[in-house]
Amino acid sequence: MILPFALSAQDCDITLPQDTFICGFSQQFLIQPEGGVWSFDCDANMSGEELQVSIINLNNGFCQFNFASCGIYELFYTVEIPGECTNTEAFTVYVDDPSFSSQTVSFNNELEYAPYNCHSGGSGECINTLSIGGEDPPMPVWEICGTGECSSTLYNPVVTQNPNDPCLPLEVEILSVSAGSTFSSCWSGEQDSFIVVDTETGEVLDNDFLEFLDSLGLGDILANLSDCSFVDNSCFTVGEDCIDSIRYDTTELLFPVHLGGNWNLILPQDTIRMMDTTDFALFSTEYLLIIEPGADYYGPDDIDLTIFELRNEAQDTIIPEDYISFQMQWTEDWIYDTLEVIHPEIVYLDSLGCQVCGGHSSGSSFNIPDIPSFDCPAISITFDFTCACMPVDVWASSTPINCIECGSLQAFSSDPSVTFVWDGPGVNGAQGSSLSGICTPGTYFVFATNDYGCSGATSINVNEDINLVEVDIDSPETLTASMPCVQLNGYASSNFPTSLNISWTGPNNFSSSDLNPSVCEPGSYTLTAFDPVSFCEDQFTVVVQELIVVIEQINGEVCDGDCLTVDGQDFCESGFYILESSPSLIYEISLTVIEIPDLIILAPQMITATQSCVTLQAESTGVDLTNYTYAWNGPSGFTSTDRDVEVCEEGEYILTAFEPDLNCSASFRINVIRLTELEVDLCQGDCFQYEGVSYCEEGEFNVQANPFLIAELTVTTTELSQDFMQEKICPGESFVFRGIEYSEEGTYDIQLAGNDVCDTLMLLEILEYRALPNLEDEFAEYCVVEEITIGPSLDVNSDMSYAWKDGETALPRVVNRPGIYELEISTVCESRTQIFELVQTIDDEQNEVYVPNVFSPNGDGQNEEFIVQSGVELLDLNVQIYDRW
């Protein structure tokens, strides 16, 4: 038997764990070989603290890592055997703070009827209407109670510093503190706080239960949990960049809704849901049952039941004559409404950077209560019509209608148990033995019914006793100097021959009972005629005027264009006028109109760089301006009282000339314009904004900047300089230039801002290193006289290098000796290793036995099992496995 070639272990080979995410500050890892040296970069992490970790050797290759804070630790492990080998490997640990706070809200909701009373039955004799006592209607009450609970555990690493190494402290001790608290809150009320129901159709018009629940503030229960710390100190945040997808799930919530209730008629053969008017048959007799205020009324006022017997095909109603008994039962009406609750479910990416620990979690549970039970039994109703009725005597009286009050009605009967009902003009179904406020004459009827249903009726007339009185007065004459007194001629009449009371009132307490008195003072006089029998009266008022003539003289002057206003009339031209304002007032008006000059200002030249000031000259046509005064107003508070002025600022100038006597004025406005020159030098592609217009090309432009400024604009441009840059990146990485990441191959145009010069156009070319192919280890058997070619055929470019561990340089290569050949292919970005194992076979295949000298049960799917191969049956096999030591 020829044994396979065995490759000895390398003393400096390092076995480290894969990159790992841990929730907590402490973790054990298997590290081989032992005795190496740890190091890493402890720059500030995401929390602004330095990264520190203590490492304790637990023997058998296990190490205890205690981290001082959360963050990303890239740990380096170095093994060195002097004179033989040195090796360094690294692995990364994502450490997150395991502190957590959990919060839950549990709702225990109940729906119960508030305390209520059941109805009792009723019976009546010789009447077809009876009342049963009403009760307060059943009212379902919601009770919504929420209980919040929280618990939290905080972890705090305590560091014992190492004076020789700030990254590797002597000890890191993990301390923890736990806390917990509960708080509850309740609300009680009726469903109309959040539900609107159509009482006619029973349709749910609006259901705002979820919004109402939010408005109660029950969701703030957790804010009252003061004993818990709500943790939000994770180093790794699951943000939008970690979301893979969002799914939405809809839950339908069946919600009980109270619709009130209704009376039900219980008969031997059936149960009928009653309406306000219900037809039913009892023992072959048809009846009509009326319930008021309605079949859906429970109380609290009394409920009236009226029954009639239906006769013949026309369904005429009559008072029954027999004994009638039935049962009624009140039932509560409920339906279920459907509320839709949408639950989003987030799916996160499977990435170390997207993992987090517990942190702060919350949850809730919510129950919908069942419909409460209603337990009132049926009630019995009986009518006994076996008795006989006697006629009821009834009589009535009335009072008449006159001018100051309406009439009244009064009914009487010898039966003290009767009730009276009135009908007549404007009165329909009014109850009571007496009625007042009867203001319409006519015949009124009163009906009386006693407790046994027996009745009687009579009628009474209400008369109208009204005597219409009319008063009138002739128009009086005007009091003058020649006629100091006048006679008032009054007239008074009525519908009926009667004696009317006459009275006059006037100024200075004037009074008289004479129909035609004489008066000597101007003012208002009122005649009143009154009928003492019907209390009717009428009045009329006249005014006695006095004529006094006054003449008023007015001498006036106005400026040209103005007017003199007297008694609402305008006078605008010179002349003499007579105005009769009233029979007693006359104006004599003499008016002079002062002429206003036609004022102008000679147009000035423009203000320029060489002519910084201009002169404004005032002139007039037709009017001498010698005695006028002047007032100039202009920009920046410019004022002057000279006739001609010199100005040095553009803008609007106003000259007002004042007449010396009446201060009549004339004004003139003129714009003084400035001419300016602007020269602008632009970089290519830039624009110059001036007065809302962009100028991007070379040229000369005349710009009206505003009513007072004209600019001559000259624009010149300068071309931009150009540059080129090439950069190569590894797959999956990026190149950062001027704060921008470039992660894909391509050519990018970048404009670089210049410092006091024009920008530079940069052409940036991004190239990507080619990725290495996947290389799989190979195993081959060969005869002693054979040669075999190993290694891939690769297009090795300038970015790629390869090396055989035994120093050979050919690729592929030809070998003829058994053993393990290791090939490493690398680029700047990555490296891959491929192992070729060659085993020499014997000539007699029937006796061939192959025992491998190495296997790797590490889960990568290659060389996982230790298998002995043989061409003959093996009777016994003893295998022992040792580590390198």
Side-chain angles (χ1 to χ4, degrees):
M1 179 184 298
I2 299 177
L3 295 176
F5 175 78
L7 180 64
S8 63
Q10 298 296 318
D11 293 335
C12 289
D13 286 350
I14 298 175
T15 301
L16 296 179
Q18 297 179 347
D19 294 349
T20 307
F21 181 95
I22 66 171
C23 273
F25 298 108
S26 182
Q27 183 73 23
Q28 292 184 13
F29 293 108
L30 176 62
I31 310 297
Q32 291 183 343
E34 299 184 57
V37 177
W38 288 97
S39 64
F40 75 102
D41 185 3
C42 61
D43 287 341
N45 66 359
M46 289 173 277
S47 301
E49 303 173 354
E50 286 190 347
L51 298 174
Q52 301 179 82
V53 56
S54 70
I55 305 174
I56 304 172
N57 187 4
L58 302 179
N59 297 322
N60 297 323
F62 285 93
C63 292
Q64 177 77 30
F65 291 74
N66 292 328
F67 301 94
S69 62
C70 63
I72 302 176
Y73 293 76
E74 187 176 7
L75 301 166
F76 299 92
Y77 189 64
T78 302
V79 174
E80 180 179 6
I81 299 178
E84 294 186 12
C85 64
T86 301
N87 192 12
T88 300
E89 296 289 346
F91 80 106
T92 303
V93 182
Y94 293 76
V95 179
D96 203 4
D97 192 332
S99 301
F100 71 90
S101 175
S102 64
Q103 310 169 51
T104 59
V105 178
S106 299
F107 287 91
N108 182 21
N109 304 322
E110 294 183 356
L111 179 58
E112 299 290 345
Y113 284 111
Y116 59 89
N117 294 320
C118 297
H119 291 89
S120 58
S123 62
E125 296 180 357
C126 298
I127 58 173
N128 69 329
T129 298
L130 64 85
S131 295
I132 60 174
E135 302 289 349
D136 289 331
M139 187 62 63
V141 177
W142 281 80
E143 185 176 65
I144 302 174
C145 292
T147 300
E149 298 180 353
C150 74
S151 63
S152 62
T153 301
L154 303 178
Y155 292 91
N156 182 28
V158 178
V159 177
T160 302
Q161 296 290 349
N162 186 342
N164 299 321
D165 192 337
C167 297
L168 298 173
L170 297 177
E171 181 183 6
V172 176
E173 182 182 4
I174 311 302
L175 303 179
S176 66
V177 177
S178 298
S181 179
T182 61
F183 183 83
S184 62
S185 178
C186 289
W187 171 88
S188 178
E190 300 172 8
Q191 74 176 20
D192 57 5
S193 299
F194 43 82
I195 292 181
V196 178
V197 179
D198 187 334
T199 57
E200 297 294 331
T201 64
E203 178 186 359
V204 179
L205 302 179
D206 195 10
N207 190 342
D208 294 329
F209 178 74
L210 298 179
E211 293 84 347
F212 176 75
L213 189 65
D214 292 338
S215 71
L216 295 180
L218 297 178
D220 296 332
I221 290 177
L222 297 176
N224 294 280
L225 301 177
S226 58
D227 295 340
C228 292
S229 299
F230 299 134
V231 178
D232 192 16
N233 58 347
S234 173
C235 276
F236 303 97
T237 302
V238 180
E240 293 182 358
D241 54 343
C242 289
I243 296 177
D244 178 48
S245 62
I246 301 178
R247 297 191 293 263
Y248 295 92
D249 188 19
T250 301
T251 300
E252 290 188 349
L253 198 64
L254 290 180
F255 192 88
V257 178
H258 181 240
L259 299 181
N262 208 91
W263 285 106
N264 297 270
L265 186 62
I266 302 177
L267 302 174
Q269 71 277 17
D270 195 8
T271 298
I272 302 174
R273 182 179 175 89
M274 295 177 63
M275 296 184 293
D276 295 349
T277 301
T278 305
D279 296 340
F280 70 95
L282 185 62
F283 303 116
S284 301
T285 303
E286 297 288 335
Y287 294 97
L288 174 65
L289 180 64
I290 302 172
I291 182 170
E292 293 179 350
D296 57 354
Y297 182 78
Y298 195 88
D301 295 332
D302 290 349
I303 300 172
D304 293 335
L305 301 175
T306 303
I307 194 166
F308 295 95
E309 183 179 337
L310 299 176
R311 291 286 180 90
N312 60 50
E313 295 180 356
Q315 298 289 289
D316 293 332
T317 58
I318 64 172
I319 303 297
E321 298 177 353
D322 299 323
Y323 178 86
I324 303 171
S325 178
F326 53 86
Q327 287 187 319
M328 289 170 40
Q329 186 169 23
W330 178 268
T331 57
E332 286 285 282
D333 293 337
W334 290 82
I335 61 170
Y336 278 99
D337 190 29
T338 301
L339 293 180
E340 289 190 354
V341 182
I342 300 177
H343 308 276
E345 180 182 355
I346 301 176
V347 179
Y348 295 101
L349 296 174
D350 185 12
S351 169
L352 290 179
C354 288
Q355 299 186 44
V356 293
C357 295
H360 180 197
S361 64
S362 62
S364 64
S365 62
F366 192 87
N367 69 293
I368 296 296
D370 295 330
I371 294 174
S373 61
F374 179 76
D375 301 325
C376 282
I379 61 175
S380 296
I381 303 296
T382 60
F383 290 91
D384 187 359
F385 296 98
T386 58
C387 59
C389 282
M390 295 295 292
V392 175
D393 60 329
V394 57
W395 66 94
S397 65
S398 66
T399 60
I401 303 169
N402 57 40
C403 280
I404 62 173
E405 63 181 5
C406 293
S408 63
L409 295 170
Q410 183 75 35
F412 309 92
S413 175
S414 60
D415 188 344
S417 68
V418 300
T419 58
F420 297 98
V421 177
W422 293 89
D423 284 324
V427 176
N428 185 17
Q431 295 186 2
S433 61
S434 62
L435 294 181
S436 60
I438 303 299
C439 301
T440 303
T443 302
Y444 290 80
F445 298 89
V446 60
F447 303 90
T449 304
N450 62 15
D451 290 344
Y452 297 98
C454 303
S455 62
T458 189
S459 63
I460 187 72
N461 290 327
V462 175
N463 299 320
E464 184 177 44
D465 186 9
I466 296 178
N467 182 19
L468 295 181
V469 178
E470 292 185 1
V471 172
D472 194 9
I473 306 174
D474 290 342
S475 298
E477 296 184 11
T478 301
L479 297 176
T480 62
S482 60
M483 189 170 57
C485 295
V486 296
Q487 186 177 20
L488 300 180
N489 296 319
Y491 303 91
S493 63
S494 63
N495 289 349
F496 305 106
T498 184
S499 177
L500 300 178
N501 295 336
I502 303 299
S503 65
W504 282 91
T505 59
N508 294 325
N509 297 320
F510 171 83
S511 64
S512 174
S513 58
D514 186 0
L515 189 60
N516 301 307
S518 178
V519 296
C520 302
E521 293 188 29
S524 296
Y525 292 85
T526 301
L527 170 62
T528 302
F530 175 72
D531 181 3
V533 176
S534 65
F535 301 101
C536 300
E537 72 174 13
D538 191 20
Q539 290 183 340
F540 195 89
T541 300
V542 295
V543 177
V544 176
Q545 297 181 345
E546 182 180 17
L547 179 61
I548 300 176
V549 178
V550 176
I551 298 176
E552 183 175 342
Q553 294 181 345
I554 299 176
N555 294 318
E557 291 182 332
V558 296
C559 298
D560 189 9
D562 293 341
C563 295
L564 175 66
T565 301
V566 178
D567 197 21
Q569 296 190 32
D570 292 334
F571 301 89
C572 306
E573 296 182 359
S574 297
F576 179 78
Y577 303 92
I578 296 177
L579 173 62
E580 185 177 353
S581 177
S582 67
S584 60
L585 177 60
I586 297 175
Y587 293 98
E588 294 180 350
I589 304 171
S590 296
L591 178 63
T592 302
V593 176
I594 305 300
E595 185 180 1
I596 301 301
D598 186 9
L599 186 66
I600 62 172
I601 302 175
L602 300 181
Q605 299 295 322
M606 291 184 179
I607 299 176
T608 63
T610 58
Q611 181 177 324
S612 59
C613 298
V614 297
T615 300
L616 303 180
Q617 295 179 330
E619 291 187 359
S620 176
T621 58
V623 176
D624 184 8
L625 298 178
T626 303
N627 295 325
Y628 276 67
T629 59
Y630 305 93
W632 285 91
N633 289 280
S636 301
F638 173 83
T639 59
S640 177
T641 58
D642 296 334
R643 176 172 173 174
D644 300 331
V645 295
E646 183 180 59
V647 297
C648 304
E649 184 175 352
E650 72 274 12
E652 182 185 56
Y653 290 83
I654 303 173
L655 171 61
T656 303
F658 298 94
E659 189 271 335
D661 296 326
L662 292 180
N663 206 26
C664 299
S665 63
S667 297
F668 191 86
R669 298 170 182 261
I670 191 168
N671 291 339
V672 175
I673 300 174
R674 179 180 297 275
L675 178 65
T676 184
E677 296 181 355
L678 296 175
E679 294 184 357
V680 178
D681 189 10
L682 301 175
C683 294
Q684 186 178 9
D686 291 346
C687 294
F688 174 65
Q689 292 282 340
Y690 186 69
E691 296 297 330
V693 180
S694 297
Y695 299 88
C696 307
E697 303 291 339
E698 286 188 338
E700 295 182 352
F701 310 92
N702 286 329
V703 183
Q704 181 77 38
N706 57 56
F708 314 110
L709 179 61
I710 297 177
E712 292 183 350
L713 175 63
T714 302
V715 179
T716 58
T717 61
T718 302
E719 294 186 354
L720 306 182
S721 60
Q722 297 183 348
D723 200 356
F724 175 79
M725 176 185 290
Q726 187 182 71
E727 186 69 27
K728 299 189 74 173
I729 60 175
C730 296
E733 296 183 355
S734 60
F735 171 66
V736 179
F737 183 71
R738 295 294 180 96
I740 301 176
E741 290 190 0
Y742 300 89
S743 57
E744 296 182 359
E745 284 190 329
T747 302
Y748 302 89
D749 293 329
I750 304 172
Q751 187 165 334
L752 305 179
N755 187 15
D756 297 330
V757 295
C758 292
D759 296 348
T760 300
L761 295 177
M762 168 69 74
L763 184 65
L764 174 62
E765 183 179 20
I766 302 296
L767 301 177
E768 188 176 281
Y769 289 103
R770 288 194 301 169
L772 292 178
N774 293 324
L775 303 176
E776 297 183 358
D777 296 345
E778 296 184 6
F779 171 81
E781 295 179 340
Y782 73 103
C783 296
V784 69
V785 294
E786 291 179 347
E787 291 183 344
I788 188 170
T789 300
I790 62 174
S793 297
L794 298 177
D795 180 13
V796 180
N797 54 36
S798 59
D799 297 334
M800 186 184 302
S801 63
Y802 69 93
W804 293 93
K805 199 166 187 179
D806 57 4
E808 179 63 34
T809 60
L811 184 69
R813 63 183 289 189
V814 178
V815 296
N816 58 3
R817 297 178 58 192
I820 294 179
Y821 297 85
E822 186 174 344
L823 172 64
E824 182 179 23
I825 302 176
S826 61
T827 65
V828 175
C829 303
E830 58 180 335
S831 64
R832 299 185 186 275
T833 302
Q834 187 176 21
I835 298 176
F836 302 89
E837 182 177 359
L838 274 63
V839 177
Q840 183 175 338
T841 62
I842 59 178
D843 295 336
D844 186 1
E845 293 184 358
Q846 297 298 323
N847 297 324
E848 176 184 1
V849 175
Y850 169 66
V851 181
N853 70 331
V854 65
F855 74 106
S856 57
N858 59 0
D860 63 357
Q862 301 179 4
N863 301 323
E864 293 293 311
E865 300 179 354
F866 182 82
I867 302 175
V868 177
Q869 299 178 354
S870 173
V872 297
E873 181 181 1
L874 296 180
L875 300 179
D876 190 20
L877 179 64
N878 183 23
V879 178
Q880 294 180 333
I881 300 177
Y882 300 88
D883 61 19
R884 66 185 63 184
W885 294 281

